Amino acid sequence: MAAQDGSEVVGMEAEVTQKVPEVLCEAAGQGDEAGSEATSLTDGESTSAEPAAVSNGEESDEGKEMVDVKIIWNKNKYDLKIPLDGTGAKLKEKIHALTGLPPAMQKVMYKGLLPEEKTLREIKVTNGAKIMVVGSTINDVLAVNTPKEVIQQEVKAEENKKEPLCRQKQHRKVLDKGKPDDVMSSIKGAKERLPTVPLSGMYNKSGGKVRLTFKLEQDQLWIGTKERTEKIPMGSIKNVVTEPIEGHEDYHMMAFQLGPTEASQYWVYWVPAQFVDAIKDTVLGKWQYF
């Protein structure tokens, strides 16, 4: 019985031994196939695995007509190889991979703004073409956001601290002459209608005497000096700027803007304070004092 059992065991071992090589052979065969597939895959992807993957194209681009271009963005240059029949939108995706700049934030230019829907062939992109890209990454935008707000606040604060007009050098040289001898009397804090006679006893920017006559029936402001009288249509006066004279707040310095910019301002000094509102309202067409 023991011998019989032993023979059965030996027979089973032999049978197992015969099957094992078959399994190993099958596994080896599958391994060879997998190895050959891996080798084939490695060979096919060897180019795309290199750092210059974007420049040399992807496997899906094989067999397509390619074009070599140079991408210029933020003072950096990138070489890119892309299918000639690829669209502008596809180009933006490639640029995103190169630079990290999202397509939506790109402004791509080649002989003008590059259209997303057209192919590079249609817009006649050639080998060696330089394609300009303008735009900022999201991180760049976030990085400059706060400083920009701070700068704006500083500018605003600076404007608030701006020195009064009467302290500025261009006005100081006139005001330092003091009041004209024939200056009209003033009433601080009062509002009066314009007098029927010209306002006189004032200086202009050159330090000469000047008088203002408001010709309401002709809708004109007459600015008279010793040399001549300028007849200005009130409708042509763009703005009126006024500020109390420091230390003499019952008098104002006043500018009539005769053109589109502040360079056209005609300055008058020592205007009695009680007439300031009436002058502004008359010149700017409000006329509620009449």
Side-chain angles (χ1 to χ4, degrees), residues 178-198:
K179 295 181 185 178
D181 296 335
D182 56 347
V183 68
M184 298 179 69
S185 58
S186 63
I187 306 173
K188 183 179 178 181
K191 292 183 180 181
E192 294 187 3
R193 297 179 179 181
L194 292 174
T196 56
V197 297

Side-chain angles (χ1 to χ4, degrees), residues 82-95 103 106 108 114-123:
I82 187 171
L84 193 55
D85 291 314
T87 62
K90 287 291 184 183
L91 176 60
K92 283 191 171 186
E93 291 177 7
K94 298 287 188 181
I95 293 172
Q106 295 175 24
V108 183
L114 187 139
E116 291 190 3
E117 70 282 359
K118 289 189 176 182
T119 66
L120 304 189
R121 187 189 301 276
E122 288 175 321
I123 59 177

Side-chain angles (χ1 to χ4, degrees), residues 164 166-167 172 175 243-249 251 253 270:
C166 59
R167 294 185 190 175
R172 196 70 257 168
L175 295 174
E243 182 181 284
I245 297 174
E246 196 172 43
H248 303 276
E249 283 74 12
Y251 289 95
M253 50 188 290
W270 302 103

Side-chain angles (χ1 to χ4, degrees), residues 67-88:
V67 62
D68 292 297
V69 297
K70 190 175 290 293
I71 305 298
I72 302 174
W73 172 69
N74 201 21
K75 297 183 180 180
N76 296 317
K77 297 180 180 180
Y78 305 86
D79 291 322
L80 177 64
K81 197 168 189 175
I82 187 171
L84 193 55
D85 291 314
T87 62

Side-chain angles (χ1 to χ4, degrees), residues 2-24:
Q4 186 178 357
D5 293 341
S7 62
E8 288 180 1
V9 172
V10 172
M12 291 176 62
E13 289 178 353
E15 187 178 352
V16 171
T17 305
Q18 288 174 356
K19 290 183 178 180
V20 169
E22 291 178 2
V23 174
L24 292 175

Side-chain angles (χ1 to χ4, degrees), residues 7 16 39 216 225 250 259:
S7 62
V16 171
T39 303
L216 302 183
T225 62
D250 49 339

